[in-house]
Amino acid sequence: METYVSLAFLSALALIVLSFQIHRVDIRERYRFFLPVMISASVWALFSGLWLISPYQISALMAQVSFLGIITLPVFVFLFAVDYARISGFTKNRHKALLWGIPGISILLMLTNPMHGLFWSEVYPEEVFPEVYASSHVAGFWYYLHSFYSYTLIIISLVLIFKALQKKKAVLGQYMLLLGVAVPTTTSMLFVFEVTALDLSPLFLSFAVLAFGWTVTSGIYRENIQELQRLQNKTSEMNNLYGLVVRISERLIHTDTAEIRQAINDVLGELGRFNNVDRVYIFEYDKDKDDVSNTYEWCNTGITPEIKNLQNIPYNFVPRWRKHFDNNDYVYIPSVKELPDDPYYEHEKAILLPQGIKSLIVVPMFHAQDFVGFTGFDSVRMNKEWDHTTISLLKMTADIIAGSILRASYEKALIREKQNAEAANQAKSEFLANMSHELRTPLNAILGFTEIVKDDLIEDSQRDQLQMVITSGNALLRLINDLLDFSKAEAGALPLTPNETPLRKLLNFVSDTFRAEANQKNIELQVHNNTGSDKMLWIDEGRVRQILFNLVGNAIKFTHKGQVVVSAEVIPVEEIEQNDSQKGTTPDKKSDHANGKDGMIKKAQLLLTVKDTGIGIAREDQEAIFTPFTQLSTGNNRIYEGTGLGLNITQRLVDMMDGDIRLSSELGKGSTFTVRVQCGCF
């Protein structure tokens, strides 16, 4: 007896512990009826043991409680089998109510048995072990009916579990679940049909614990591992897709406009291979025509391109798609063949079916709030499914591509406009150059003949009138010369022609040209050679004279008293071989004088300074004076003649000679222009 009771209690304890442990780890609730099965079995085992060790007066009550587990256990086993086999028809409440019909009546009849004797026809004390008496029962009509019903449920449950195990392709060890149900059921049947005097089922429930525990825990373990693996695979896939989106963004952002088309085609290929589809394409929307055209397409090996067949399609040709796109929503068709036979889908099927498409997803492309077009993914060889996370990333990628398409379009438009502007500017410069030549030629003739006529006249009044003509003509000639140089500079046609030039010759040019004008205004003109010797320079003499002419001419023009000081200095930098190619500094090999005594020249800088005591320039105007056609407009400065081109041309010439020009000036206190240009000296 002690062994029987101990095993019964051990079975009950193991059933309770196992059931709650399985319930705790069953995160997907795949074994939700396992807990009530184990509780019913533990009630059966526990109170079967108490039935034997309790006094006779109490053993009858223990037997009734034990039968509560026995009666309910088959129903819970059946529900567990149905759930395990994934049969959804028995999950409704009305079906469960039918299952509990007979067990419910059985419990009621068992508790009220003394009144009618339908469940047990007789209850009496019996010595089940030496000197151990317990209540014994003689089965009644309903007891046999209930037993038949219970065993029928158990047998059906065994069949369902067996088929489910086959379907799951379970390993051999999982078939122990069948033994866990069948062994206690067999011992119970032997007791009911009086083959054995004592119900040994509570003892074999310990075996059922092992069988159930092994099968269910291994099943939960495998399913949880599979779920974990699925989640890991999905996470890895999402990480890869995130990485792909980042790579696509970086590539499109850093791709030049000229290469953007190839970059987008490459991106479509990457998206197609990653998503395992057969065709990826882009349709761009033309707002003026209200149509869409296939502009980019990638096709997998063996897939026919459709880009040439899908041009200038009316945007409203597929109303359903337009409705989705207008709401910034995607179009997802898991199976094209299963589209309804409805006029609403008629045009959609007319486009998709001839292409052999089985599944597709199309996502709109937006830039800000503007609809740019859409990107599509076709699966031709098989049906394909996309989840919401993947679709969201595809929409993000489509918007990135849309931004790149618009950026390339804007940049191409800007390039075209820039080219048009440059062409117009070039045409303007050529026109000015041609017109300046055409005007200068007859003007030189007019001035020349005017000088001849003036010398032949006797009357002073006529000579003064012709002198006014000559003065005005020279002013016009200077204007034409400035326009000619400016147009050449704009057209990049101002050449540098370096030659051997004595520094003394440049300074004499200043004295000879401006001495008379300075004396006429009672201005002192000083010209200084700060080098200390007469240096021979290798430089474009004509361009340096032009720089000095503009700077000294402006200084005398804007100075009414005081002085204008011009100084020049040659600063050697380093010795270089004559063969080195230096812009504007390398002398001609044929020039013996340029070669010098030892075949070497010195790289140098020519520093020119023009300082005056004139009207000065306000700080806010000092940058503007270098702008073409700009003259100072404050005070009475507009009384001075000029085109506003002299300083701009000077700056361009200085830049061409790898130099710089600086201005230091204060209103009312004069100005100092400092020019530094590259040259050679020997």
Side-chain angles (χ1 to χ4, degrees), residues 504-519:
R504 171 181 47 81
K505 186 177 181 181
L506 294 174
L507 297 179
N508 289 340
F509 161 77
V510 174
S511 298
D512 296 341
T513 304
F514 297 101
R515 182 71 64 185
E517 184 178 355
N519 291 337

Side-chain angles (χ1 to χ4, degrees), residues 435-468:
M435 287 302 297
S436 298
H437 276 293
E438 295 299 325
L439 291 172
R440 188 165 56 174
T441 300
L443 185 57
N444 283 327
I446 291 171
L447 292 175
F449 282 110
T450 303
E451 287 282 357
I452 295 173
V453 172
K454 187 188 74 167
D455 293 338
D456 292 338
L457 292 177
I458 300 174
E459 296 183 10
D460 292 339
S461 59
Q462 293 177 339
R463 291 170 63 89
D464 291 340
Q465 291 172 355
L466 287 181
Q467 182 60 44
M468 187 177 297

